[in-house]
Amino acid sequence: MVMFLFLVVALAVVVAAVTLAVVGGGDKGPLPEAGPERLVDHLPPDRPVSRADVDGLRFPLAARGYRMADVDDALGRLGAELAERDARIADLESALAGARAAAAHLSMDKPVPHREDERP
């Protein structure tokens, strides 16, 4: 029974000491505020995002996973660049189809030489 009371008192002393240290007891003051982790390797703002940029992207951990703002910013940037690339690909495919149609139209308009017109 004495051992049980000793352990309860020791536990109470440890809890009180930790509480005082966190709340600000003593002459040292409270614990300093911890700043939130921020995304260190941002996506490059001055050039398009490459595969290596996406592979190297690492989000800092937060209390319940990743910081939503950092993930939302990165996904928004990637989505905008993919939409821009899709539009550029569609424009280039349209231009290619137009060029092929014009080439086919020109080849149909050219007169084909007849065998009679050819000279040996």
Side-chain angles (χ1 to χ4, degrees):
M1 179 73 175
V2 174
M3 185 63 123
F4 177 73
L5 288 175
F6 175 74
L7 289 176
V8 170
V9 170
L11 180 64
V13 169
V14 169
V15 169
V18 170
T19 302
L20 285 176
V22 171
V23 172
D27 56 351
K28 294 181 182 179
L31 294 175
E33 289 291 323
E37 283 189 50
R38 297 289 180 197
L39 184 62
V40 177
D41 296 328
H42 297 284
L43 295 175
D46 56 342
R47 62 176 172 79
V49 177
S50 68
R51 174 66 187 246
D53 295 328
V54 175
D55 288 342
L57 188 61
R58 297 291 177 260
F59 297 105
L61 294 176
R64 292 189 233 164
Y66 296 106
R67 289 182 37 91
M68 287 176 32
D70 291 338
V71 175
D72 289 345
D73 290 344
L75 289 176
R77 170 79 188 275
L78 291 172
E81 287 203 18
L82 287 174
E84 182 180 324
R85 289 180 187 173
D86 288 345
R88 177 76 175 143
I89 289 170
D91 289 344
L92 291 173
E93 286 177 344
S94 173
L96 179 62
R100 285 182 177 163
H105 182 65
L106 284 177
S107 67
M108 290 177 68
D109 287 345
K110 280 186 181 178
V112 178
H114 295 285
R115 288 243 179 233
E116 301 168 356
D117 294 337
E118 293 179 4
R119 293 187 186 184

